[in-house]
Structure formats: C-alpha cells, structure tokens
Amino acid sequence: MTLFRHALPGKTPARFLLLDRVDRCDATQATACRAFASAPPWQGLEAMAQLAALHARRASGFVLHAFLLTVQECNWPFADALHGTLRIRAKLLAESDRAATYATAITPIPQASDADAAPVPPCMAATLIIGRTAYDTRFNGDVLAARYREIFAWLTTTP
C-alpha cells in the first residue's frame, strides 16, 4: 500500500475522467478505452477504479454512490508510463449490498495487422473493492446521480 501512496501526485485535478469511451457494459462486466500519452501508472489504476465504480453505479440504476474502497492487489507496470490506446476491463467477481469486488486490467489494443497474433497480456491489473452507499447530505443524490447518468450516456455514445 505504501507504494501507491508514494506514486500518487501531490495534487490532482478536482474532477477528471480517465475513460474515453465505454464499449460494453452488462450485468457482470464493462470494457472501456483510453488513449494514454506518457501517463504515469497511477492514472491506469485510477482509470480501472473509474470503470469499476461506473459499472457499480449503473448496476444500481444510479441510485447508489460508488467509490474505491480498497486495492487488494495491483501489479504496477514495468514501464514508467502508459502509452497508446489501451483497453480497460472491469469484471464483477462478487458483491454485497455495500461493496463489489472487481478484477480489473489494462491491455494494449492489438493493431488490425496483429489479428492472428497471440493475446496480449495485461500491462496492469488490480483487484478492486468498490464501496456502495446511499446518497445522503455528504453525497447529494440529485446532483451526483444526474452527473453519472450523463457521463455514462456520453461515454457509451462516444465513437
């Protein structure tokens, strides 16, 4: 856990989205894409958490607040940065009324010429626990539910 704390920057933007589009979202998993340009690895972890939390919100019909509760496991990329257009996957492993566990991964998207090549291994993977709670005075449901519905709609219609 200490590794992640030291890897995070001192200051991050108040609101930022690290998903370019959502390609698939069903009852058990979601996949998305992101074009990274020399991005530090903490952005990969954040992108995986954003996708898992978005899946958890959608699964509840956007009536619950979802947030990263803990990172159980994470393999940090060997490279200092994430490059290119990468596929992000979040697969639901287990859930309760208060949390959901996801296997997440970031994998390079093969080029069309690599169609017959062997599958590319993930460059980053993590097991994430996403907390879920009802909206309350700290998390304004009217504002946040509408915001996440709008983000989801935008991400699923982005070409």
Side-chain angles (χ1 to χ4, degrees):
M1 187 67 146
T2 304
L3 170 69
F4 300 122
R5 248 183 282 154
H6 292 296
L8 295 174
K11 203 166 189 180
T12 58
R15 293 183 179 186
F16 65 103
L17 183 61
L18 292 176
L19 304 172
D20 292 337
R21 73 175 188 266
V22 172
D23 297 318
R24 176 182 176 193
C25 189
D26 61 30
T28 60
Q29 66 181 341
T31 58
C33 290
R34 171 70 178 184
F36 288 100
S38 298
W42 69 264
Q43 287 188 8
L45 180 59
E46 176 65 26
M48 291 186 293
Q50 287 182 9
L51 182 60
L54 189 61
H55 183 270
R57 287 183 187 100
R58 182 173 181 263
S60 76
F62 296 97
V63 300
L64 294 176
H65 183 54
F67 53 93
L68 178 62
L69 188 59
T70 187
V71 177
Q72 285 189 326
E73 300 173 9
C74 182
N75 71 332
W76 213 246
F78 292 111
D80 290 338
L82 297 171
H83 300 283
T85 302
L86 305 175
R87 175 161 289 119
I88 304 155
R89 181 179 53 86
K91 182 177 181 183
L92 180 65
L93 299 177
E95 65 181 326
S96 70
D97 58 340
R98 301 185 115 192
T101 303
Y102 287 88
T104 62
I106 296 179
T107 309
I109 296 176
Q111 300 298 320
S113 60
D114 297 337
D116 295 330
V120 180
C123 58
M124 190 171 190
T127 301
L128 308 178
I129 298 180
I130 301 296
R132 300 186 295 197
T133 189
Y135 290 114
D136 58 17
T137 56
R138 293 176 301 150
F139 306 111
N140 183 329
D142 294 335
V143 172
L144 292 174
R147 180 181 186 312
Y148 289 117
R149 274 191 180 102
E150 182 181 337
I151 288 171
F152 184 79
W154 181 79
L155 288 172
T156 55
T157 58
T158 301

